[in-house]
Amino acid sequence: MFRKVLVANRGEIAVRVMRACEELNVGTVAIYSEADKDSGHVRYADEAYNVGPARAADSYLDHEAVIEAARKADADAIHPGYGFLAENAEFARKVEEAEGITWIGPSSDAMESLGEKTKARTIMDEADVPIVPGTTDPVTDPDVVREFGEEHGYPIAIKAEGGGGGRGMKVVEDESEVEDQFESAQREGEAYFGNDSVYLERYLERPRHIEVQIIADEHGNVRHLGERDCSLQRRHQKVIEEGPSPALSDELREQIGEAARRGVAAADYVNAGTVEFLVEEEPGRDGPLGPDANFYFLEVNTRIQVEHPVTEEITGVDIVKWQIRVAAGEELAFAQDDVDFDGHAMEFRINAENAAKNFQPASGGKLATYDPPGGVGVRVDDALRQGDGIVTDYDSMVAKLIVHAEDRDECIARSLRALREYEIEGVTTILPFHRLMLTDETFVDGRHTTKYLDEEIDRSRIEDAQAQWGPEESTAPEDEEVVEREFTVEVNGKRFEVNLEERGAVPLATGDGGADAGASRPEPAGGSSGGATAVEGDGERVDAEMQGTILSVEVEEGDEVAPGDVLVVLEAMKMENDIVASRGGTVSQVAVGEGESVDMGDTLVVIE
């Protein structure tokens, strides 16, 4: 077994991995960016190392900085959690090649094969796993999309090879959209995954999203731990997951589970992973989907999933511990027939978002009150505590609430109780949305598909739930001045650099008369302090609805625009968002440029 594991992640998943290490009597190492220096995973770890500034590309995604931190800590293994570098085959290969450090996850070769969607489709097809009609080679010419549409019809999904969770995917409704959506998918793939290769699939109109948890060891054993139903999504991002699926018959779930085992075995896969499938819903079905229902391979996630606790609750298998044990060379201690499924579980992502405003993420705030629920069958995975500030540089997740019960009806009732108990003040979350869904007839009946939230639910019901159960909107006071002071101290012959924070203090004068070099403020859109673009004129101001980065500016001053024209493409929550004109007019000012960061409420364009 390992002596010390560095967790190359942050937040609740970092704490989750550290807890598993602690139970295995393994030491833990955290890494953190400047934005995360006071975060929960840093407090929890045995030791922690700064790997760079807030920008993820300069910290959590910096391969050399992460590996160097492992060397400094004398860690003999790295666990990537999910997100960031978890599915980066290049980083995994560097860890594999680093002397004395073990990668806790599938091999870089397996990650490369299954991470690139066209290779994965080929492997699954050869293993007799059903795949959605589509291409097995990368597509480089939009004419190929048109030819595919002529053969299979529209809509068509154009997907980035390195994408997932809806990132890098564009849907072509008809031939007129081919060129724009093709270029957008390539651009998003290059921006987020360093790979502009795309492939095509027939776009399923009303699917259910079913995924199978698998774990395999280096001794040839492959086990599946049942399925999770992740069909409740908004913009392809999951919000509630559950297991087992309320839509599958036992015969169908066995078919899907065995298909997952065949596929990963054919890929020589080792460690934990998830094989995702789309199952075609049958309109007006009476009872569960039978063994003749169509299901298709979607992708393999070569890492632990956000929703892995659902499977842990219904099987009793600690997936993270087995990730670590398998990486240490141990053999799985249970056969497939030993996997028993007990009851029903649901996971609720407690995101700092306002569901009534199209799940707009919070721009900041502090947890003035944070009191999670407890009781029989209730589990909370988190890293934040009361008084902590929300770090908005990465994702919006505050915590995960996982509820287990004897059956689905009891699970829903217990979940409602737990959600009512969950007290969060100071930050708007989607707790009211979750309470609504557990009284929603379509969800309670288990008839929701991946399109339900985006296309079918009455949005006014979400607004009513937020008004009834959400916090009152208030403007948080400005944080008091924080001054950082750096000192060098010596303990038992060893020198340490120490940073101290003092709140409300007057900055120390420096040799050049400036403020303490440790104190800094984020730059506004448009450049350094005082250099932001001034907004002029009395026209309509088109503002950013969320924090993000400007990917492209589609208009210039003097351009005539019509309602619905795209003005700016804003990246937020790992997705491209088209900012459009709500009325026609002339662009009198463009207040942002490509590559700039903007906060919610910043003016982007002025239209006269």
Side-chain angles (χ1 to χ4, degrees):
M1 183 49 68
F2 305 113
R3 292 178 295 99
K4 189 186 294 186
V5 171
L6 180 143
V7 183
N9 218 293
R10 64 178 299 276
E12 62 84 19
I13 186 57
V15 173
R16 166 70 186 96
V17 174
M18 291 172 190
R19 284 175 170 152
C21 289
E22 189 172 1
E23 292 181 18
L24 293 170
N25 197 29
V26 174
T28 57
V29 181
I31 59 171
Y32 64 95
S33 71
E34 290 292 345
D36 265 339
K37 61 189 175 185
D38 298 320
S39 292
H41 72 287
V42 177
R43 295 193 297 260
Y44 193 92
D46 296 327
E47 52 190 296
Y49 292 81
N50 186 313
V51 289
R55 185 168 176 263
D58 299 324
S59 53
Y60 292 110
L61 296 176
D62 186 331
H63 298 189
E64 302 309 323
V66 175
I67 294 173
E68 180 60 23
R71 290 196 181 99
K72 286 180 179 178
D74 194 26
D76 52 351
I78 292 178
H79 192 302
Y82 56 73
F84 289 137
L85 297 171
E87 293 181 281
N88 189 304
E90 179 186 355
F91 177 69
R93 185 168 290 110
K94 289 179 180 178
V95 176
E96 291 167 346
E97 294 171 352
E99 185 176 354
I101 304 177
T102 298
W103 171 251
I104 299 178
S107 70
S108 57
D109 288 342
M111 291 175 69
E112 202 166 62
S113 297
L114 294 175
E116 292 190 11
K117 304 303 187 292
T118 52
K119 291 183 180 179
R121 285 169 57 86
T122 300
I123 291 171
M124 293 296 161
D125 194 30
E126 292 174 351
D128 197 27
V129 177
I131 62 173
V132 179
T135 60
T136 54
D137 294 319
V139 175
T140 58
D141 189 332
D143 285 340
V144 177
V145 184
R146 296 185 180 92
E147 293 170 4
F148 187 88
E150 291 175 4
E151 180 179 356
H152 298 284
Y154 292 88
I156 301 168
I158 305 177
K159 296 186 173 184
E161 280 201 331
R167 298 185 297 275
M169 184 181 82
K170 300 298 173 182
V171 178
V172 182
E173 298 290 349
D174 57 57
E175 187 175 352
S176 67
E177 298 179 357
V178 167
E179 201 85 31
D180 288 344
Q181 298 291 53
F182 182 78
E183 291 176 0
S184 181
Q186 285 187 316
R187 185 169 63 241
E188 213 171 272
E190 177 64 33
Y192 302 119
F193 313 108
N195 181 358
D196 67 356
S197 293
V198 298
Y199 67 103
L200 311 179
E201 281 185 354
R202 182 168 71 86
Y203 187 68
L204 303 182
E205 296 279 15
R206 290 178 50 82
R208 297 192 72 94
H209 187 133
I210 305 295
E211 61 187 28
V212 178
Q213 177 70 56
I214 63 93
I215 189 159
D217 62 29
E218 62 187 40
H219 306 281
N221 300 301
V222 181
R223 310 283 183 258
H224 80 75
L225 304 180
E227 90 280 358
R228 299 182 290 257
D229 193 317
C230 306
S231 300
L232 197 72
Q233 306 176 4
R234 47 94 175 139
R235 301 194 300 274
H236 305 286
Q237 298 293 312
K238 306 164 188 174
V239 286
I240 299 177
E241 302 96 349
E242 62 181 307
S245 170
L248 306 187
S249 64
D250 288 340
E251 296 89 347
L252 182 58
R253 65 169 39 96
E254 183 62 23
Q255 286 182 32
I256 295 174
E258 286 305 311
R261 287 184 71 191
R262 281 198 311 275
V264 297
D268 294 324
Y269 190 93
V270 172
N271 214 274
T274 302
V275 186
E276 301 199 344
F277 296 90
L278 293 179
V279 181
E280 282 197 295
E281 182 62 274
E282 297 171 358
R285 66 177 166 88
D286 183 19
L289 293 166
D292 295 330
N294 293 324
F295 68 92
Y296 303 104
F297 167 76
L298 176 61
E299 63 183 352
V300 177
N301 286 298
T302 56
R303 54 170 169 79
I304 198 74
Q305 290 278 85
V306 177
E307 57 273 19
H308 75 273
V310 168
T311 298
E312 292 182 329
E313 293 302 311
I314 61 175
T315 63
V317 176
D318 189 318
I319 299 169
V320 177
K321 278 187 184 178
W322 274 112
Q323 280 191 294
I324 298 168
R325 289 174 175 141
V326 166
E330 293 186 24
E331 184 173 0
L332 291 173
F334 55 92
Q336 185 62 55
D337 290 343
D338 295 331
V339 180
D340 293 323
F341 302 102
D342 175 28
H344 199 92
M346 291 184 174
E347 177 180 287
F348 304 86
R349 301 191 186 195
I350 312 301
N351 296 336
E353 299 172 1
N354 189 333
K357 296 182 178 179
N358 202 26
F359 294 90
Q360 176 181 291
S363 60
K366 282 188 175 181
L367 296 176
T369 299
Y370 182 72
D371 189 7
V376 176
V378 175
R379 164 181 169 180
V380 176
D381 282 15
D382 59 16
L384 294 167
R385 292 294 177 265
Q386 187 162 299
D388 284 354
I390 299 296
V391 177
T392 58
D393 297 82
Y394 311 110
D395 60 56
S396 62
M397 186 178 292
V398 173
K400 300 184 312 197
L401 170 66
I402 306 99
V403 179
H404 178 248
E406 289 188 9
D407 56 36
R408 192 170 188 263
D409 289 342
E410 185 181 45
C411 189
I412 289 174
R414 181 169 290 167
S415 297
L416 273 170
R417 185 267 295 173
L419 288 164
R420 286 194 294 266
E421 286 183 14
Y422 213 141
E423 291 189 37
I424 299 178
E425 295 179 0
V427 177
T428 298
T429 71
I430 59 172
L431 282 171
F433 164 80
H434 287 313
R435 292 176 64 174
L436 169 67
M437 294 315 302
L438 293 184
T439 60
D440 179 84
E441 183 177 355
T442 299
F443 180 81
V444 170
D445 289 345
R447 295 184 178 276
H448 55 289
T449 69
T450 58
K451 306 299 177 65
Y452 183 59
L453 291 184
D454 290 335
E455 300 178 6
E456 299 173 27
I457 193 169
D458 181 352
R459 302 288 306 173
S460 67
R461 296 177 58 220
I462 299 178
E463 295 167 3
D464 292 343
Q466 184 65 37
Q468 181 177 355
W469 296 313
E472 293 183 6
E473 295 291 336
S474 62
T475 303
E478 290 289 326
D479 286 343
E480 57 187 341
E481 183 75 23
V482 178
V483 176
E484 295 185 1
R485 314 193 196 283
E486 296 182 359
F487 300 91
T488 300
V489 298
E490 187 171 307
V491 180
N492 294 331
K494 293 183 179 180
R495 295 176 65 82
F496 299 91
E497 299 298 322
V498 178
N499 292 328
L500 297 180
E501 289 185 356
E502 189 171 353
R503 298 182 181 271
V506 177
L508 288 176
T510 59
D512 60 4
D516 182 5
S520 62
R521 293 182 179 276
E523 295 183 356
S528 59
S529 182
T533 303
V535 178
E536 302 171 349
D538 297 324
E540 179 192 24
R541 300 187 181 196
V542 180
D543 297 336
E545 296 183 351
M546 61 190 76
Q547 184 186 52
T549 302
I550 302 299
L551 286 184
S552 66
V553 178
E554 303 296 323
V555 294
E556 298 178 352
E557 291 182 9
D559 285 355
E560 296 290 331
V561 296
D565 284 355
V566 177
L567 307 173
V568 169
V569 179
L570 174 70
E571 182 276 319
M573 295 296 292
K574 304 175 184 175
M575 295 286 289
E576 288 188 17
N577 299 272
D578 291 339
I579 308 301
V580 301
S582 60
R583 69 173 198 182
T586 303
V587 176
S588 62
Q589 186 176 5
V590 177
V592 293
E594 184 175 327
E596 289 182 8
S597 296
V598 296
D599 288 324
M600 182 173 62
D602 283 356
T603 297
L604 308 177
V605 175
V606 180
I607 300 175
E608 299 286 354

